[in-house]
Amino acid sequence: MEELLIFLGISFNLNLPLLTAWLGDRLLGDPLWLPHPIVAFGKSISFLEHRMNHGSHLRLKGMLVTLFLVVGVYLFTLFLLRFSALYSSGLLLSLQILLIFYCLAGTTLIREVRMVFRAVDSSLEEGRTQVARIVGRDTSRLSAQEVRTAALETLAENLSDGVVAPLFWYLLLGVPGMLAYKMVNTLDSMIGYRNERYRRFGCFAARLDDVANYIPARLTAFLMVLVAGRLSLLAFVARYGKQHASPNSGYPEAALAGILNCRFGGPHDYFGEEVWKPYIGITPRMLTTEDMRLAIHINRRTEVLMILLVFFFSTLFYWIH
C-alpha cells in the first residue's frame, strides 16, 4: 500500500504539466485570441515550399525541407526547455504546460463536429460551410449524409492525429517529440497530397507521417473498441482499416464505423480532382445526432484512457530507472 501511494505521488508530480495542459484543453480548446505555434509551422512550410518546390530534384528538396523543419522544431524545443530550466523551475513548468496544451487538439474538433450537425440540421448549405472548416475536401456538392459522414470521419482521424499520437510521442520523446510530431502532421496536411504540385515534393513528408502515425492509429482503434466494450470489433477493424487509401487513417475510422454500425468512405473532391476512398463498414444507413453524441462519448473516453496510460507508463519508466 505504501509503495502504491509513493507510485501515485511520483506519477502526479511527474505528469503535472500534462495533466494541467490536458485539463486546459478540455476547458478551453484552442482560444482564437491565443497565438498558436501550428500557424507558425504552416507559415514556415509555405515559405520553404514556395521557394523550393520548382525545378529538378523535387523529392530530394522535399526531404531536406521536411527534415530541416522536423529536426529543427525538436532541437529548438529541447533548447528552449533546458534554457528555461536554468532560470526557474516555475518557468520550465509553465512552458511545458503551454507547449503540451498547444499540441492537444481534442476539444476544438469536438466542438466543430457538434456545430456541423447543428448546422446541417438547420440547412444543407450551412452544413457544407461548417464542415469545410474541418475537412480538406470540396464540400460544395455534399449531401446532408455526406456532410455528417465527413464530420465523423474527421473526428475519428483527429482522435489519433490530435490526441493519441501527440501523447504517444510525448511518452517516447517528451515535449520536444510532441512538437516534432505536430510539425510532421502539419507538413503532411499541407504538402502530403498526391496531386501534380505536391506528388514529388511532399512524398517524403507523407511517408514520414505514415511512419509517425503507424502505431498511434492502431492504438487509437484498439482503445476505441475497448472503451466501447466491443472487443469483438477488432476483426472488423483489421478487415476494413487496411482498405483505406491511407495506411493509418482507416483504423480509427473503422473502429468508429463498427461502433456506430455505419459506413464511411466513397468519392471525395480534393483540389478539383475526384478521389475514391474505399467504403469502410457495411451499413449505408443515415447518420443522426445520436450517432454524433455516441462518437463524441467514445472520443472522450478514449482520450481519458490514453492519458491514464501515459501517466502509468511514464511513472513506471521513471520508477524502473
Side-chain angles (χ1 to χ4, degrees):
M1 184 65 180
E2 183 179 350
E3 287 190 348
L4 176 61
L5 291 175
I6 294 173
F7 186 87
L8 292 175
I10 292 173
S11 181
F12 178 80
N13 290 327
L14 192 64
N15 292 292
L16 180 60
L18 175 58
L19 177 61
T20 307
W22 175 67
L23 290 174
D25 179 67
R26 289 292 294 260
L27 294 173
L28 302 174
D30 290 327
L32 295 177
W33 52 267
L34 191 63
H36 204 292
I38 302 302
V39 176
F41 288 1
K43 290 181 178 179
S44 300
I45 294 166
S46 181
F47 176 84
L48 291 173
E49 188 270 332
H50 278 92
R51 283 154 182 78
M52 300 290 286
N53 189 15
H54 56 80
S56 58
H57 307 296
L58 293 183
R59 291 180 186 271
L60 177 61
K61 290 178 181 177
M63 182 184 70
L64 292 175
V65 166
T66 298
L67 291 175
F68 172 77
L69 290 172
V70 174
V71 175
V73 164
Y74 180 88
L75 294 177
F76 177 77
T77 307
L78 186 64
F79 169 79
L80 192 62
L81 292 173
R82 290 187 175 180
F83 182 78
S84 64
L86 295 176
Y87 285 87
S88 166
S89 58
L91 176 61
L92 174 62
L93 177 63
S94 300
L95 189 58
Q96 287 175 319
I97 291 171
L98 183 62
L99 293 177
I100 296 170
F101 171 78
Y102 279 136
C103 289
L104 296 175
T107 296
T108 297
L109 206 286
I110 285 175
R111 290 174 180 170
E112 292 285 347
V113 169
R114 285 194 180 114
M115 291 168 66
V116 168
F117 273 73
R118 283 198 294 266
V120 78
D121 286 343
S122 176
S123 81
L124 178 55
E125 197 55 44
E126 287 183 28
R128 289 169 172 168
T129 301
Q130 191 64 43
V131 80
R133 291 163 51 93
I134 59 174
V135 299
R137 72 192 70 167
D138 179 10
T139 64
S140 61
R141 294 183 292 174
L142 296 183
S143 66
Q145 170 72 354
E146 289 169 335
V147 168
R148 296 186 182 97
T149 299
L152 292 185
E153 287 175 347
T154 302
L155 182 67
E157 290 180 26
N158 183 78
L159 179 57
S160 178
D161 296 351
V163 179
V164 175
L167 290 172
F168 175 83
W169 286 105
Y170 170 82
L171 180 62
L172 290 186
L173 298 174
V175 179
M178 207 178 196
L179 266 293
Y181 167 77
K182 295 302 288 187
M183 176 57 87
V184 171
N185 198 236
T186 307
L187 279 158
D188 180 64
S189 68
M190 291 184 65
I191 65 173
Y193 296 98
R194 295 180 180 178
N195 56 21
E196 185 60 30
R197 177 172 178 174
Y198 298 120
R199 183 175 288 110
R200 288 179 291 170
F201 185 79
C203 66
F204 182 81
R207 297 292 79 76
L208 185 60
D209 184 77
D210 291 342
V211 172
N213 283 295
Y214 187 87
I215 294 175
R218 289 153 180 80
L219 176 60
T220 301
F222 173 75
L223 295 179
M224 290 172 73
V225 299
L226 181 62
V227 300
R230 304 276 301 280
L231 287 177
S232 59
L233 286 174
L234 288 176
F236 178 94
V237 171
R239 176 184 175 186
Y240 285 99
K242 63 185 177 183
Q243 294 189 21
H244 198 284
S246 162
N248 299 315
S249 298
Y251 288 89
E253 284 189 26
L256 186 57
I259 292 167
L260 298 181
N261 189 29
C262 68
R263 187 175 74 177
F264 294 145
H268 305 319
D269 288 335
Y270 290 94
F271 304 105
E273 297 181 14
E274 183 178 83
V275 177
W276 184 271
K277 295 189 177 182
Y279 285 118
I280 294 177
I282 55 177
T283 310
R285 67 176 185 82
M286 296 299 293
L287 293 167
T288 67
T289 299
E290 284 304 312
D291 293 314
M292 177 267 290
R293 289 173 180 158
L294 176 56
I296 289 174
H297 177 68
I298 294 297
N299 198 289
R300 285 303 199 192
R301 293 183 68 182
T302 301
E303 188 176 318
V304 170
L305 181 54
M306 184 62 188
I307 287 286
L308 292 176
L309 288 173
V310 172
F311 284 7
F312 174 77
F313 282 107
S314 62
T315 309
L316 183 63
F317 296 157
Y318 179 87
W319 185 279
I320 292 173
H321 291 90

